Amino acid sequence: MKNIQVINSVKVRRIEMGHLTQGDLAKVVGVTRQTMNLIEAQKYNPTIKVCLLIAAALETSIDQLFWMEDEE
Amino acid sequence: MKNIQVINSVKVRRIEMGHLTQGDLAKVVGVTRQTMNLIEAQKYNPTIKVCLLIAAALETSIDQLFWMEDEE
DNA sequence: CAAAAGTGTAACATATATATGACAAAGTTA
DNA sequence: TAACTTTGTCATATATATGTTACACTTTTG
């Protein structure tokens, strides 16, 4: 697959939301805390389903949360 | 993970683009034609990276292409 | 300060996204 | 109609997203 870098602002947005922990967000989305941790650390390439659920939980859109940067 | 249905309008949008086959789109995105076929048939839950590349290729946004519907 | 809560990370297991090769059916074009 | 292109699908293989358990480190709170 084409080699791009996907960046997200999930952690920033989650903290903007106020008292919302990784665990809280994970629970709402229905993934584990570890999975949410790896997504926030940009170490996973999550599925669109998870992204849609995260965007809903953070009251924003996928386009606001995820974008791509050309590899190098 | 939370049980939602993800719908996409990739096929509709691809055809709107004019002469763009599944194979063409797959090639631009950098996946196989079979993968693109399954995505268009709503049989895959693609990764955000693929979705971003598809949106770019179709000159639109992920929010325009993918959305969720509550499971029944 | 001490306890509790939140975060980062590791090892291993499982589910599934994606690749590859192949073939038939449907659609298009000459 | 006959060639050709496009699409749908199948079987099998591989890569990786996600789950589970566990533990150390950091941050918050009483």
Side-chain angles (χ1 to χ4, degrees), chain B residues 20-62:
Chain B
L20 187 68
T21 69
Q22 263 181 18
D24 292 337
L25 178 54
K27 195 167 195 178
V28 173
V29 169
V31 297
T32 63
R33 185 183 62 78
Q34 288 83 341
T35 293
M36 193 57 65
N37 188 294
L38 290 166
I39 291 171
E40 288 192 351
Q42 328 277 339
K43 286 176 182 163
Y44 267 167
N45 173 25
T47 59
I48 186 72
K49 190 188 275 190
V50 172
C51 295
L52 281 163
L53 289 164
I54 292 174
L58 297 181
E59 295 169 16
T60 182
S61 67
I62 291 193

Side-chain angles (χ1 to χ4, degrees), chain A residues 11-53:
Chain A
K11 183 169 192 169
V12 171
R13 177 65 188 143
R14 172 173 61 81
I15 291 171
E16 277 178 8
M17 293 284 288
H19 286 291
L20 187 68
T21 69
Q22 262 181 18
D24 291 338
L25 177 55
K27 195 167 193 176
V28 174
V29 169
V31 297
T32 63
R33 184 183 64 79
Q34 287 81 343
T35 293
M36 193 58 63
N37 187 296
L38 289 166
I39 292 171
E40 289 192 351
Q42 328 277 339
K43 286 175 183 163
Y44 266 169
N45 173 24
T47 59
I48 185 72
K49 190 188 275 190
V50 172
C51 295
L52 281 164
L53 289 164

